[in-house]
Short mmCIF file of all heavy atoms in Angstrom, two decimals:
data_model
loop_
_atom_site.label_atom_id
_atom_site.label_comp_id
_atom_site.label_asym_id
_atom_site.label_seq_id
_atom_site.Cartn_x
_atom_site.Cartn_y
_atom_site.Cartn_z
N HIS A 106 64.48 18.41 147.68
CA HIS A 106 63.58 17.49 147.03
C HIS A 106 63.56 17.55 145.52
O HIS A 106 63.22 16.60 144.86
CB HIS A 106 62.15 17.68 147.55
CG HIS A 106 61.92 17.03 148.87
ND1 HIS A 106 62.57 17.42 150.02
CD2 HIS A 106 61.11 15.99 149.24
CE1 HIS A 106 62.17 16.69 151.04
NE2 HIS A 106 61.30 15.84 150.58
N VAL A 107 63.99 18.68 144.98
CA VAL A 107 63.91 18.84 143.50
C VAL A 107 65.26 18.92 142.81
O VAL A 107 65.32 18.71 141.64
CB VAL A 107 63.09 20.05 143.09
CG1 VAL A 107 61.68 19.94 143.56
CG2 VAL A 107 63.74 21.35 143.56
N ARG A 108 66.33 19.17 143.52
CA ARG A 108 67.63 19.34 142.83
C ARG A 108 68.24 17.98 142.60
O ARG A 108 68.03 17.03 143.37
CB ARG A 108 68.55 20.26 143.63
CG ARG A 108 68.96 19.76 144.96
CD ARG A 108 69.70 20.86 145.70
NE ARG A 108 69.96 20.40 147.07
CZ ARG A 108 71.12 20.48 147.66
NH1 ARG A 108 72.13 21.08 147.04
NH2 ARG A 108 71.30 20.04 148.88
N SER A 109 69.02 17.92 141.57
CA SER A 109 69.59 16.61 141.17
C SER A 109 71.01 16.44 141.64
O SER A 109 71.63 15.44 141.48
CB SER A 109 69.49 16.42 139.63
OG SER A 109 70.18 17.49 139.02
N GLY A 110 71.60 17.49 142.21
CA GLY A 110 73.00 17.41 142.70
C GLY A 110 73.25 18.56 143.61
O GLY A 110 72.39 19.39 143.86
N ALA A 111 74.44 18.62 144.16
CA ALA A 111 74.81 19.71 145.05
C ALA A 111 74.94 21.02 144.31
O ALA A 111 75.51 21.07 143.21
CB ALA A 111 76.11 19.35 145.76
N ILE A 112 74.34 22.03 144.88
CA ILE A 112 74.46 23.41 144.36
C ILE A 112 74.86 24.35 145.49
O ILE A 112 74.58 24.02 146.63
CB ILE A 112 73.20 23.91 143.66
CG1 ILE A 112 72.04 24.02 144.65
CG2 ILE A 112 72.82 23.06 142.47
CD1 ILE A 112 70.83 24.77 144.11
N PRO A 113 75.54 25.42 145.19
CA PRO A 113 75.86 26.40 146.20
C PRO A 113 74.58 27.00 146.82
O PRO A 113 73.68 27.38 146.08
CB PRO A 113 76.69 27.47 145.50
CG PRO A 113 77.18 26.83 144.25
CD PRO A 113 76.11 25.82 143.88
N ILE A 114 74.56 27.04 148.12
CA ILE A 114 73.47 27.68 148.86
C ILE A 114 74.07 28.64 149.86
O ILE A 114 75.00 28.30 150.58
CB ILE A 114 72.63 26.62 149.58
CG1 ILE A 114 71.99 25.61 148.63
CG2 ILE A 114 71.56 27.29 150.43
CD1 ILE A 114 71.35 24.43 149.27
N ILE A 115 73.48 29.85 149.88
CA ILE A 115 73.91 30.84 150.88
C ILE A 115 72.70 31.20 151.70
O ILE A 115 71.62 31.48 151.16
CB ILE A 115 74.54 32.10 150.24
CG1 ILE A 115 75.77 31.73 149.43
CG2 ILE A 115 74.81 33.15 151.32
CD1 ILE A 115 76.40 32.95 148.70
N LEU A 116 72.85 31.16 153.02
CA LEU A 116 71.82 31.63 153.93
C LEU A 116 72.00 33.10 154.09
O LEU A 116 73.11 33.59 154.41
CB LEU A 116 71.97 30.93 155.29
CG LEU A 116 70.95 31.31 156.37
CD1 LEU A 116 69.52 30.91 155.97
CD2 LEU A 116 71.34 30.69 157.75
N VAL A 117 70.93 33.87 153.84
CA VAL A 117 71.03 35.34 153.84
C VAL A 117 70.18 35.91 154.98
O VAL A 117 68.98 35.72 154.99
CB VAL A 117 70.58 35.94 152.49
CG1 VAL A 117 70.73 37.45 152.49
CG2 VAL A 117 71.32 35.32 151.33
N GLY A 118 70.83 36.60 155.88
CA GLY A 118 70.17 37.34 156.96
C GLY A 118 69.87 38.73 156.41
O GLY A 118 70.78 39.55 156.34
N CYS A 119 68.62 38.99 156.07
CA CYS A 119 68.24 40.31 155.52
C CYS A 119 67.90 41.28 156.64
O CYS A 119 67.58 40.84 157.76
CB CYS A 119 67.01 40.14 154.62
SG CYS A 119 67.31 39.10 153.17
N LYS A 120 67.95 42.55 156.32
CA LYS A 120 67.63 43.63 157.26
C LYS A 120 68.63 43.77 158.36
O LYS A 120 68.30 43.99 159.55
CB LYS A 120 66.18 43.46 157.83
CG LYS A 120 65.13 43.31 156.70
CD LYS A 120 63.74 43.17 157.26
CE LYS A 120 62.75 42.97 156.11
NZ LYS A 120 61.39 42.91 156.58
N SER A 121 69.88 43.78 158.02
CA SER A 121 70.94 43.92 159.01
C SER A 121 70.99 45.33 159.58
O SER A 121 71.71 45.58 160.55
CB SER A 121 72.32 43.56 158.43
OG SER A 121 72.67 44.44 157.39
N ASP A 122 70.23 46.25 159.00
CA ASP A 122 70.18 47.62 159.46
C ASP A 122 69.23 47.82 160.70
O ASP A 122 69.13 48.88 161.24
CB ASP A 122 69.77 48.57 158.37
CG ASP A 122 68.43 48.17 157.71
OD1 ASP A 122 68.38 47.07 157.13
OD2 ASP A 122 67.48 48.97 157.81
N VAL A 123 68.54 46.75 161.06
CA VAL A 123 67.63 46.79 162.25
C VAL A 123 68.19 45.93 163.35
O VAL A 123 69.12 45.15 163.13
CB VAL A 123 66.19 46.38 161.88
CG1 VAL A 123 65.59 47.29 160.82
CG2 VAL A 123 66.17 44.93 161.34
N THR A 124 67.62 46.04 164.53
CA THR A 124 68.12 45.26 165.69
C THR A 124 67.82 43.78 165.45
O THR A 124 66.65 43.38 165.24
CB THR A 124 67.40 45.71 166.98
OG1 THR A 124 67.63 47.12 167.12
CG2 THR A 124 67.94 44.98 168.18
N PRO A 125 68.88 42.97 165.49
CA PRO A 125 68.64 41.53 165.22
C PRO A 125 67.96 40.85 166.41
O PRO A 125 68.22 41.20 167.59
CB PRO A 125 70.06 40.99 165.05
CG PRO A 125 70.97 41.97 165.70
CD PRO A 125 70.27 43.29 165.69
N GLU A 126 67.09 39.94 166.10
CA GLU A 126 66.37 39.18 167.15
C GLU A 126 66.57 37.67 166.98
O GLU A 126 66.08 36.94 167.79
CB GLU A 126 64.90 39.52 167.12
CG GLU A 126 64.60 40.97 167.46
CD GLU A 126 63.13 41.31 167.48
OE1 GLU A 126 62.32 40.41 167.68
OE2 GLU A 126 62.83 42.49 167.28
N VAL A 127 67.27 37.25 165.94
CA VAL A 127 67.49 35.83 165.72
C VAL A 127 68.82 35.49 166.41
O VAL A 127 69.84 36.17 166.19
CB VAL A 127 67.58 35.46 164.23
CG1 VAL A 127 67.91 34.02 164.02
CG2 VAL A 127 66.23 35.82 163.53
N ASP A 128 68.81 34.41 167.20
CA ASP A 128 69.99 33.99 167.93
C ASP A 128 71.10 33.51 166.97
O ASP A 128 70.85 32.60 166.16
CB ASP A 128 69.60 32.86 168.87
CG ASP A 128 70.69 32.35 169.77
OD1 ASP A 128 71.89 32.60 169.45
OD2 ASP A 128 70.41 31.69 170.78
N HIS A 129 72.25 34.13 167.08
CA HIS A 129 73.33 33.80 166.15
C HIS A 129 73.82 32.33 166.26
O HIS A 129 74.27 31.74 165.33
CB HIS A 129 74.53 34.75 166.31
CG HIS A 129 75.39 34.80 165.12
ND1 HIS A 129 75.06 35.43 163.95
CD2 HIS A 129 76.59 34.24 164.90
CE1 HIS A 129 76.00 35.27 163.06
NE2 HIS A 129 76.96 34.55 163.59
N ASP A 130 73.64 31.76 167.49
CA ASP A 130 73.99 30.36 167.67
C ASP A 130 73.13 29.43 166.79
O ASP A 130 73.60 28.41 166.28
CB ASP A 130 73.92 29.95 169.13
CG ASP A 130 75.00 30.56 169.97
OD1 ASP A 130 76.05 31.01 169.40
OD2 ASP A 130 74.83 30.63 171.20
N LEU A 131 71.86 29.82 166.65
CA LEU A 131 70.96 29.04 165.79
C LEU A 131 71.37 29.14 164.32
O LEU A 131 71.32 28.14 163.59
CB LEU A 131 69.52 29.51 165.96
CG LEU A 131 68.84 29.30 167.29
CD1 LEU A 131 67.45 29.94 167.33
CD2 LEU A 131 68.74 27.78 167.59
N ILE A 132 71.79 30.30 163.94
CA ILE A 132 72.26 30.54 162.58
C ILE A 132 73.47 29.70 162.30
O ILE A 132 73.59 29.00 161.29
CB ILE A 132 72.51 32.05 162.31
CG1 ILE A 132 71.25 32.84 162.44
CG2 ILE A 132 73.16 32.24 160.92
CD1 ILE A 132 71.46 34.37 162.45
N ASP A 133 74.43 29.78 163.21
CA ASP A 133 75.68 29.01 163.09
C ASP A 133 75.39 27.47 162.97
O ASP A 133 75.97 26.80 162.15
CB ASP A 133 76.64 29.26 164.24
CG ASP A 133 77.25 30.63 164.15
OD1 ASP A 133 77.25 31.27 163.10
OD2 ASP A 133 77.81 31.10 165.20
#
Side-chain angles (χ1 to χ4, degrees):
H106 280 64
V107 298
R108 65 188 175 134
S109 58
I112 63 169
I114 299 171
I115 299 178
L116 180 66
V117 182
C119 299
K120 305 182 182 183
S121 65
D122 56 296
V123 297
T124 303
E126 296 181 23
V127 177
D128 184 339
H129 201 75
D130 289 340
L131 293 174
I132 297 168
D133 288 343

